[in-house]
Amino acid sequence: MSAQLADSKNGEALNLVVLIKHAEVRVAKNGKKFISLSFQDQSDTISGMFWDAQDADIQQFTTGKIVHLSGQRETYNGQAQVKISGLKLADPSEGLQVSQFVKQAPLTAEQMATIINQEVFNIDNAKWNRIVRFLLQKHQATFYQHPAAKSNHHDFTGGLAFHTLSMMRLAKAISQQYQQVNYALLLSGVLLHDLGKTIELSGPVGTEYTLAGNLIGHIVLIDEEIVEACQSLGIDPADEDVMLLRHMILAHHGLLEYGSPERPKLLEAEILHHIDELDASINMITKALQKTAPGDFSEKIFGLDNRCFYQPNRTEK
Amino acid sequence: MSAQLADSKNGEALNLVVLIKHAEVRVAKNGKKFISLSFQDQSDTISGMFWDAQDADIQQFTTGKIVHLSGQRETYNGQAQVKISGLKLADPSEGLQVSQFVKQAPLTAEQMATIINQEVFNIDNAKWNRIVRFLLQKHQATFYQHPAAKSNHHDFTGGLAFHTLSMMRLAKAISQQYQQVNYALLLSGVLLHDLGKTIELSGPVGTEYTLAGNLIGHIVLIDEEIVEACQSLGIDPADEDVMLLRHMILAHHGLLEYGSPERPKLLEAEILHHIDELDASINMITKALQKTAPGDFSEKIFGLDNRCFYQPNRTEK
Amino acid sequence: MSAQLADSKNGEALNLVVLIKHAEVRVAKNGKKFISLSFQDQSDTISGMFWDAQDADIQQFTTGKIVHLSGQRETYNGQAQVKISGLKLADPSEGLQVSQFVKQAPLTAEQMATIINQEVFNIDNAKWNRIVRFLLQKHQATFYQHPAAKSNHHDFTGGLAFHTLSMMRLAKAISQQYQQVNYALLLSGVLLHDLGKTIELSGPVGTEYTLAGNLIGHIVLIDEEIVEACQSLGIDPADEDVMLLRHMILAHHGLLEYGSPERPKLLEAEILHHIDELDASINMITKALQKTAPGDFSEKIFGLDNRCFYQPNRTEK
Amino acid sequence: MSAQLADSKNGEALNLVVLIKHAEVRVAKNGKKFISLSFQDQSDTISGMFWDAQDADIQQFTTGKIVHLSGQRETYNGQAQVKISGLKLADPSEGLQVSQFVKQAPLTAEQMATIINQEVFNIDNAKWNRIVRFLLQKHQATFYQHPAAKSNHHDFTGGLAFHTLSMMRLAKAISQQYQQVNYALLLSGVLLHDLGKTIELSGPVGTEYTLAGNLIGHIVLIDEEIVEACQSLGIDPADEDVMLLRHMILAHHGLLEYGSPERPKLLEAEILHHIDELDASINMITKALQKTAPGDFSEKIFGLDNRCFYQPNRTEK
Amino acid sequence: MSAQLADSKNGEALNLVVLIKHAEVRVAKNGKKFISLSFQDQSDTISGMFWDAQDADIQQFTTGKIVHLSGQRETYNGQAQVKISGLKLADPSEGLQVSQFVKQAPLTAEQMATIINQEVFNIDNAKWNRIVRFLLQKHQATFYQHPAAKSNHHDFTGGLAFHTLSMMRLAKAISQQYQQVNYALLLSGVLLHDLGKTIELSGPVGTEYTLAGNLIGHIVLIDEEIVEACQSLGIDPADEDVMLLRHMILAHHGLLEYGSPERPKLLEAEILHHIDELDASINMITKALQKTAPGDFSEKIFGLDNRCFYQPNRTEK
Amino acid sequence: MSAQLADSKNGEALNLVVLIKHAEVRVAKNGKKFISLSFQDQSDTISGMFWDAQDADIQQFTTGKIVHLSGQRETYNGQAQVKISGLKLADPSEGLQVSQFVKQAPLTAEQMATIINQEVFNIDNAKWNRIVRFLLQKHQATFYQHPAAKSNHHDFTGGLAFHTLSMMRLAKAISQQYQQVNYALLLSGVLLHDLGKTIELSGPVGTEYTLAGNLIGHIVLIDEEIVEACQSLGIDPADEDVMLLRHMILAHHGLLEYGSPERPKLLEAEILHHIDELDASINMITKALQKTAPGDFSEKIFGLDNRCFYQPNRTEK
């Protein structure tokens, strides 16, 4: 069944297999319960109300379930909604996987791993090279699956690795232009800077902060991983090269008020901060503009101080 | 005469032709006047005191004069100083030019003009292309000579054009990586974003703010130039394409508190702001680290919130 | 038909001709659509729900339409609402104009123009005088109709000119008290400071920001107008007098974070900023207190950091 | 002896009676003591060094002494200095008063008192009228002598009353323009708003903060005076009219971070804050521009965020 | 009738006497009015809707009324709600008091008064001792009943005195540890610091700000009380000891932006600020964690920048 | 030799053994070099100039050297200075130790260790107990010697341990007053919170930041130590109890802008932050007031936003 949400049209019937992205029970003015639902597949997201919900409904239609959804697509105030006429859990025998309904990075995990592993050869400092390889290896199962954030930027399966990959390309272009940059250090910083998010966030579906994410945070979590890696690899964590690498990660948010315990004090740390912001900004603006018609302003972008961005009309060539 | 300040050694005699970068008359505790001087050539800067200054001395040894300087190089508290034994104005017949004593961009004006003019062909929007070419042509005499700032970053002859050129390279790399970027718009914004500094700043020697720079500022000054260019070229300034270009320049400082009357509302305007900050930061840090020994921290960098940057010891390969 | 919203009483029937200020379609819990409406005339504003809206209703009852409204006035939680019993579009043959239903400045456009044009004679500097007259002439059709803001202060037909007129009176009183003030400069600044809003805002009804307003902003828009006026009048825009005038406008928001690209650097520019804030504050507070009973605090005033103002009980004389 | 500092010319001999504004003993590089002095009369201020100071010199030439000064006026780096050749204490028999050497308000204490007392009749609320008259009477000895600030604005004898008088005129003009303003309340607020400075500051010569000024501050000090006045006059301090008046004073700094314990919540309190800022700004800028040549920028004004203001060249009429 | 809200269980019938904490009339989508109610007793709070409300219902079921409530307890989205089946005003003959249904401090007014009055003996400075006793005596009726805040911390009957008592204990421990602390001054400051809240807030039920609270604020209100106390007791308010005490109260919010007209300038004033913040923070966090299950994060705490606090799982011993 | 700096009197001869706290070579107006020196012993600090310094002088009189100083004590502008008549390096045979000239904590290292080790028994959670003991043991050599800061608070030998000890006492008093506090967790947090300063700072004499201090910072440095301790002790670092402890340390600066990568999210973490600030504030104010006469204000305290604190006159009892 290949039809997708993005293919459905306003006012027409809809009959699809989708994932329940979020389910919340509420009580209507008439005193009866209903379930406020949002559904997703890889193409889009849509919301709908399940009225007069019985206890059995409430128990089965929960976040993360795959369902057969039928109804009619309508639009109120510019937002798509489905008037639900049928809702049924998918049967395990159908062999459907949650991952089939979640947005994916433009590249597969394997493609990204190949590109990144190839580039690691360019880290021509033995300590950084060994630490980076050790940690990418240790977290490979999650690094290529996690999103880069809960909702701001690169919030899709593989988003963390894809964000890292984009920054890697920026880092390479910058290092080629400015000869004074230590590319090995910058690249090592890029590859590890957000790796702590594999511990901070629960995963690509129904992404939540873990307790470690809440109490320690991804910046310190990856710092600890570097220290542990040094011990496993027999590298002195007090070695200057190791301190440089740790500083790269600790300072990458740029400002104390953004959660970095130190501000950048290395040329490469300053650059790392800039390309992190640049790639995240481009991703957030692009995501918002994809949903914006030419001549309109986008919705407010939370991660960019609630600014709205303009989608220009086609310019003359 | 090829010897330069950077070649002189501590404790040795020094006999050079230099430019008086700054001269200020003060009175000593003994009631006699002296001139506090700083000298420069293309390689370095040094300060010195001219004791017991007579009125004739005060009148001839002023900022911007080229002089024959002899004396002994000494160091107090880590700062080079010259104990002046002789000081004499260079004779016009020697044919010396102030520009011979001022730091230059790594590329000549001609080299930069060639590269930039070639790239302008890639602005595949007729209005932007014509406006950019019109303004580069109009300001070519100063654009390739002015510094990019009074003292923060790219504060040397040709610094404005060199900063623009560096950003152009960053813009190209980014546009190749992110297909959604309108390179013609980004490139146009890069080329014009600081062009108003040709009006805001007095020039490459003894750089000061002009009255227009103080009262109007380079951001609005170039905006006005675009409007005038449109009139000369018969382009409607209220055309959407022109407004997009003007917004690029108006928003390039990113934040209102940095002097932009609007925050970026275009993807390309957000990128322009980021690469402007990135190139300026790299320039400031590099300039500070060039004077910093391995294992030391640099002086405070004013333009980067007075942070000191670390010059790492040579890392093992 | 002379009855107005402000004359209707709580609990009584209401039968009026009003303007639909805002219409928005929503869906009720029972799945049926309704229109959330607000109505206005020159005296007041009231909201009401149009239940069980059919497609025909939705198409005709939109923002900006003049309608015959009948129903009952009620109050819930202190806010007036009309329980709609009848709603019908006014017939073109009735000859009703939208402007009849929109709040007006206390003076007519003609009255304000007469006062302002008379005062312009006091600009005893030929350049400023010619520029001001040129621009007032050019924008006269909109200057006396536009509001001064979308919703904060002077948000009514003619509000822009009335705000300017009030500031003109303040400027005159201040100049008479402080002899050091250049009244010609201050007056010129007052008259032009918000003229760019004729381009920034769409007009007095359903006021929205234009694209130029969003991307350029009224401060830079009027700066550009001054430059163009200089060209039309054969005045050098780089003349000091012109720069002083432009600085007045550019700096009138006082702080960079309020959108001025320069902070005031002229005595008159500092004063212009103060009287702009003073008149706007008085207008906002007065508007809020008009709806506040003695002994109560007003609603929160958005433009004044959400402060509530107190309406004192009649004080003893 | 009518000659004054402002009459002396650079390079000429100078022979005047002046007041020692500030005296500070230092030690020269040769180990001998000298006195760093500044002198003032009503026209100007000048500094000078008294070399090789003996103990007797140090004991007699102290802050606040009137002296016969002879020497030569010189200028170093744009600042006037006197090369002292003779310094002698004035004899008591000469009958000189410190007040003869201190800058005075443009009006005498008597003139200001007459104008203010006349205006008090316009406070047509009996409670406010009685409180204001009671407190002006109580503090009349100091109110007409104190400066309005230690160094920022109106820092001269009678400055406090003159600042109050200027604001009174602004308040009257504003109340005439905006009928909704309660002039009696605004005027009462103006007259009392800074009266606490008679307790906060030590006086017009060598102005310092008192302990009460440091620990309580002038805003709360005058609030307490109002409460005491109510008790003396048999007025209930909890009466609404009294609370309105107290709020005027408490809120007049406008923002909590400027030391007001409450932000303005009355129309008249908001206006009081604005005209206080306006008159202080005009005074500070005027003082700075009086020392600035046409075409130059003034020194930095501390009380206005260190902005420099421009003194325009004479504009064409 | 001893059953309480906290004893009722989800899904079971409920039959209790409670206080209407808040009542608000709204209109349902079907056009009928209903009352949105919240009920409280000393143990807990619960909300419920009274559908199809008639005018008689609306008039009798208002904030502050004691009612017999019957219905069924339910939970939607984690929040307890009662489905109302019966609601009836309590009869005056039942002799019920509002105070029986309001949360109380852990100690009775008498217990707190005994402890505090005993400690006052330790104020070994006659002036402070007399002022403190005078004011505690004057406000004793309200001091032991008022809450410490409208909703943030210690928002219960007797909360003001209990907060004061807790701070008194902290002050004692700190004074014993740091010998340089003047305990008499610190204790006097603690006892008076929030006493102005007896004037600022209306009382323990339906707590609102009074006009004096809004226009003057509790910090200045208690300052005025001290001044009046001095007059009654024949103590000079300008005495240094009195100024020290007044400074303690004026500065106890620590920062100007928190409403203190002066920042702490006494060791004891700095300590007073710290223990005020400490006790308030502990109270707010404890209140939030009492409603939080182990392993969960609490709701956002408004008074602590909306932070959520973690309730740890039982730790191993 | 028991005489100390604090015993010397103004105007009298002085003949002491002291430590050179700081030495800096400068050049006088006459072109000769001199050494600007400051001397210290355990009682006080004094400055002095060594005129006409020869190269041999410059080489031997450097920071950290113990010298025999003779001269005359003088006071200029309220600051003590010594007019040096003799200066001679102490001979190694005299057996003098730098530590004899550095200010010491009020308790010896042994006394503090005894008290702290005794209290550790009250950590009734095995994991925290073992981690705390492990780390105190590991860093015992430096923990009882280091200052708590370079110059702000507790800047003396043993200052770090003494600050920790004071906070331990506060933590105990608070835990006894508030039963809901987990004392074991709070105590563990207190003992470890600044232990990273043993790595961040170079030591008690001539205290500087280490490279690790500059690039990593003491907050993350001790976090890493906890992780390593867990590995040595066989405790899982991802255990909730360990995360709670790590959060205590990471959040103890309270605000992100103060360098904590997380804000407090545990009741005990909030308390730890408060008592850290409280003890540091008391120490800084006490240090400043010790040098302040009754009736005067102290010097500005850098660590407390440059506030000056008042030293009250002896209050009447």
Side-chain angles (χ1 to χ4, degrees), chain A residues 200 211-218 220-221 223-224 227-228 231 237 240 243-244 246-247 250 256-262 265-266, chain F residues 200 211-218 220-221 223-224 227-228 231 237 240 243-244 246-247 250 256-262 265-266:
Chain A
E200 181 182 69
L211 183 59
N214 259 313
L215 296 184
I216 314 290
H218 74 276
V220 175
L221 284 169
D223 181 73
E224 162 199 338
V227 171
E228 288 186 352
Q231 294 181 309
E240 179 170 322
M243 284 200 287
L244 297 180
R246 292 175 64 193
H247 176 77
L250 292 173
L256 300 188
E257 41 275 59
Y258 295 165
S260 267
E262 294 289 339
K265 292 174 178 169
L266 295 171
Chain F
E200 182 183 66
L211 183 60
N214 261 312
L215 295 184
I216 315 288
H218 74 275
V220 174
L221 284 168
D223 181 72
E224 162 199 338
V227 171
E228 288 185 352
Q231 293 181 310
E240 178 169 325
M243 285 198 288
L244 296 180
R246 293 174 64 193
H247 177 77
L250 291 174
L256 300 189
E257 40 275 60
Y258 294 165
S260 267
E262 294 287 339
K265 293 175 178 167
L266 295 171

Side-chain angles (χ1 to χ4, degrees), chain F residues 87-107:
Chain F
L87 196 64
K88 191 166 65 84
L89 283 190
D91 193 88
S93 68
E94 299 179 61
L96 295 165
Q97 302 297 325
V98 166
S99 63
Q100 292 174 271
F101 299 89
V102 179
K103 200 184 158 194
Q104 307 283 340
L107 298 177

